Amino acid sequence: MRIAEVSEKYNLTQDTLRYYERIGLIPPVSRNESGIRDYNESDCRWIEFIKCMRSAGLAIEVLIEYVDLFQQGESTALERKALLIDQRDQLIHRIKEMQETLQRLNGKIERYERCILPIEDELKTISVK
Amino acid sequence: MRIAEVSEKYNLTQDTLRYYERIGLIPPVSRNESGIRDYNESDCRWIEFIKCMRSAGLAIEVLIEYVDLFQQGESTALERKALLIDQRDQLIHRIKEMQETLQRLNGKIERYERCILPIEDELKTISVK
DNA sequence: TCTTGACTTTGAGCAAACTCTAAGTGATAA
DNA sequence: TTATCACTTAGAGTTTGCTCAAAGTCAAGA
């Protein structure tokens, strides 16, 4: 798969794909004889994984470390697991925080509803007139 | 309340508090005779609200708009409500995304657990030897 | 053969959200 | 009264995560 296809498939710009590879956020992608990237199954799975993790807000720095450990082989499995657990716990914390904010936003919106409904009704009445 | 107290109370640097005010993320704070900020109840409630919204990832730009509308008075109530609903919906979307990533992280960690447990056991055995 | 178009690299540029620096004021404690 | 300390402003600098530009290579079609 060429970069153009991959870019479309995962909705990441070619620049972003090259950038991710350059900084080690995904392992080096295989190339054809003329040096052009030829993404294989495994490359695609990495991209998908990284995209998912990034969408949840995991820092690039941490993910680079994960990829790096992965490339060092089996001996880093415990370390990788610890990294994932740490990130999961942070993620849980952020989700909780966001759910609290969601509650608060909902409360605020409700209050607007109670205050504003009369105004909205009035506006409707006017526009009917 | 002086900026130092407020900074400590909300765990935001004095720089950040001044920055937030400068860009209109909180309404202008009242001052004493010598021009020094003297935060009142209402100022504190704004800071707390903004801190909460920022912690959930709402963009500064959007919050500035909310504060601006608020300062324009009652006539903007409908617009403010619409803004909040929009932000809430985006927040719900992000939470969902993060929960999916959380599932995936948990799955990955479990897989590490299944693969690694034998290794961990072995390590323990060795350290006991 | 020439041109087109997709690719390559390196390095600069940009937006968001702070964070820091420099230079100055004003109240209070020794 | 002098020094200290918290405050002030304006503006520059930093970090993160892309995004763009320049200059070049290579393969395929007219």
Side-chain angles (χ1 to χ4, degrees), chain B residues 25-39:
Chain B
L25 188 50
I26 52 171
V29 172
S30 34
R31 309 295 182 106
N32 67 16
E33 326 74 46
S34 30
I36 286 172
R37 288 174 182 81
D38 182 21
Y39 294 79

Side-chain angles (χ1 to χ4, degrees), chain B residues 25-85:
Chain B
L25 188 50
I26 52 171
V29 172
S30 34
R31 309 295 182 106
N32 67 16
E33 326 74 46
S34 30
I36 286 172
R37 288 174 182 81
D38 182 21
Y39 294 79
N40 62 27
E41 258 298 299
S42 155
D43 296 324
C44 287
R45 276 201 307 275
W46 270 109
I47 289 163
E48 208 257 317
F49 171 67
I50 290 296
K51 196 194 166 184
C52 177
M53 295 300 130
R54 287 290 301 134
S55 80
L58 273 73
I60 282 187
E61 201 187 1
V62 175
L63 294 170
I64 288 175
E65 200 190 329
Y66 181 79
V67 173
D68 186 47
L69 288 171
F70 186 90
Q71 290 183 98
Q72 285 176 42
E74 275 314 304
S75 65
T76 66
L78 278 174
E79 217 174 323
R80 272 180 275 154
K81 184 184 144 196
L83 183 150
L84 292 181
I85 287 173

